[in-house]
Amino acid sequence: MKKLLAACVLLAMAVPAQATIYNDSVNDVFTGAGGGILDIVSVEVTNDATDISFKFTLAGDVDATDWGKYLVAIDSVAGGDSASNGWGRPISMSAGMDSWLGGWADSGNGMELYNWAGSWPFPPNEATWNGSTTISASKSGTMFTLTTTLANLGLGIGDSFLFDAFSSGGGGGDGAIDSLGNPNQNVGDWGEFSDATPLKYIVVPEPATLAILGLAGLALIRRRR
């Protein structure tokens, strides 16, 4: 029994969280501004028991050129905003957007999280600039990552949701220059309006949790014998 418990602890330490990688077409943006920081190569979505992260891989270096904005629109329940988003940019999600994650690579990195409640609140529900400890943004080379708790999104293990991820410029009226869900060029100019192309993600137990449950089951069987 003690050996099984020790094995559970080792598995919990060694097995990474669940991750799904969504690839996008490259060179599908109308502009080369920023040297590739607006061109999404892929987004890796990772969750554990409490948090979820969206890691953008871009065609350019966000450390070298840092004015890009990286955004995630989420549809997790019925209803939501079908016309706009938390930042009021020309981007919609016709299925109904319930949450909006907005991140920036300049000014030391940052992120805001908005939840739809008949309107988009201001100030946002969570923001790095007001000391929130439940969201974070980070960058390294060609990668930019947005992280929040599942609770902030009203999600738990076993839930599924639709989402799209976007790159955008430094201007408040800039749209989705690249859309993860759209394999083709998304817009033809900076302020052009676009609608999300939703992708699906299922919030699953991390492998370590599954391994522990499996070993616990084996332990129970051994005890019954």
Side-chain angles (χ1 to χ4, degrees):
M1 182 65 174
K2 289 182 179 179
K3 290 181 179 179
L4 278 171
L5 290 174
C8 289
V9 172
L10 288 173
L11 277 169
M13 295 172 62
V15 182
Q18 175 71 20
T20 303
I21 297 175
Y22 301 81
N23 294 308
D24 187 29
S25 304
V26 294
N27 299 316
D28 59 341
V29 293
F30 78 90
T31 177
I37 65 168
L38 300 176
D39 191 357
I40 300 172
V41 176
S42 66
V43 173
E44 178 181 299
V45 185
T46 307
N47 81 266
D48 59 21
T50 58
D51 297 335
I52 187 166
S53 294
F54 300 83
K55 182 170 73 176
F56 291 71
T57 296
L58 305 151
D61 189 331
V62 294
D63 283 317
T65 306
D66 66 358
W67 49 259
K69 305 296 181 284
Y70 305 100
L71 319 168
V72 179
I74 292 174
D75 172 22
S76 56
V77 296
D81 185 1
S82 61
S84 187
N85 55 76
W87 278 7
R89 295 202 173 200
I91 304 167
S92 67
M93 194 172 202
S94 58
M97 192 186 309
D98 306 304
S99 299
W100 172 262
L101 284 62
W104 54 92
D106 54 334
S107 303
N109 310 325
M111 175 184 170
E112 294 177 337
L113 181 145
Y114 296 79
N115 293 318
W116 174 257
S119 62
W120 297 106
F122 192 83
N125 298 95
E126 299 289 339
T128 53
W129 47 260
N130 70 2
S132 173
T133 59
T134 65
I135 62 172
S136 64
S138 63
K139 66 182 179 185
S140 177
T142 60
M143 293 177 289
F144 187 88
T145 304
L146 298 169
T147 300
T148 181
T149 62
L150 292 168
N152 276 342
L153 303 177
L155 295 170
I157 300 300
D159 291 338
S160 64
F161 62 89
L162 300 177
F163 78 100
D164 198 1
F166 316 102
S167 64
S168 190
D174 294 341
I177 308 306
D178 199 4
S179 162
L180 175 66
N182 184 356
N184 304 308
Q185 182 177 308
N186 196 52
V187 294
D189 205 354
W190 291 99
E192 187 174 319
F193 180 88
S194 66
D195 192 47
T197 304
L199 302 164
K200 186 176 182 178
Y201 182 79
I202 300 174
V203 183
V204 297
E206 54 184 323
T209 301
L210 291 175
I212 290 170
L213 289 173
L215 286 173
L218 287 174
L220 182 60
I221 291 172
R222 288 185 61 182
R223 287 187 64 184
R224 286 178 175 175
R225 287 178 179 174

